[in-house]
């Protein structure tokens, strides 16, 4: 069916071109050379149309082949990314930790007493937290008579 439509289209174009060429010449002055020229022009027109259609078809095939190659290359690159993924960097939504405050200055001029601290001229240690009293003397005489 497709071939028959193409043949009919080619014959139609040939007949139209020959008819137009012969119409330019009047019938009494028609010579075999005019008919041959009309047929030659008609077949040249058909040959150019066929060449254009074949060129479009060839360009379409090459374009599809190019697109297929590009798609295969993308798929290969995607497969390589999945095979050896790079480490993910994640941005934290919380702010960074604050800097620690500076240490208090060391007291100077006092000498520690003790056998191991004979040569120490500054008090570099905090006082003993267990040695001091945890509550005041007034807490023992609480109005309710009991501590919390």
């Amino acid at each position: 069916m497709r071939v028959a439509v193409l043949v009919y289209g080619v014959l139609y174009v040939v007949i139209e071109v020959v008819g137009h060429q012969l119409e330019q010449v009047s019938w009494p002055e028609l010579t075999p050379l005019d008919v041959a020229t009309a047929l030659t022009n008609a077949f040249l027109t058909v040959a150019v149309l066929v060449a254009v259609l074949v060129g479009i078809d060839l360009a379409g095939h090459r374009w599809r082949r190019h697109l297929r190659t590009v798609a295969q290359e993308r798929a290969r690159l995607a497969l390589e990314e999945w095979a050896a993924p790079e480490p993910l960097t994640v941005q934290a939504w919380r702010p960074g930790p604050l800097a620690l405050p500076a240490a208090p200055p060391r007291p100077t001029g006092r000498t520690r007493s003790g056998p191991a601290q004979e040569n120490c001229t500054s008090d570099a240690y905090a006082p003993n937290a267990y040695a001091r009293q945890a509550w005041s003397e007034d807490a023992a005489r609480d109005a309710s008579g009991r501590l919390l």
Side-chain angles (χ1 to χ4, degrees), residues 37-136:
T37 303
L39 284 174
T40 304
N41 289 341
F43 287 128
L44 178 63
T45 304
V46 169
V48 168
L49 287 175
V50 168
V52 167
L53 290 176
V54 168
I56 290 172
D57 186 48
L58 181 64
H61 282 293
R62 287 188 180 203
W63 180 252
R64 282 190 293 273
R65 189 179 333 147
H66 171 70
L67 290 179
R68 189 178 326 119
T69 304
V70 168
Q72 287 175 348
E73 182 67 19
R74 285 183 184 163
R76 186 185 63 80
L77 291 175
L79 182 63
E80 285 179 4
E81 285 184 23
W82 278 103
E86 296 179 10
L88 296 176
T89 56
V90 178
Q91 297 294 329
W93 56 269
R94 290 184 272 176
L98 299 176
L100 295 175
R106 292 182 179 182
T108 60
R110 290 178 26 194
T111 306
R112 290 183 64 102
S113 61
Q117 301 292 332
E118 296 294 336
N119 297 333
C120 183
T121 58
S122 67
D123 192 9
Y125 301 103
N128 191 350
Y130 298 107
R132 54 181 192 202
Q133 192 170 355
W135 56 85
S136 67

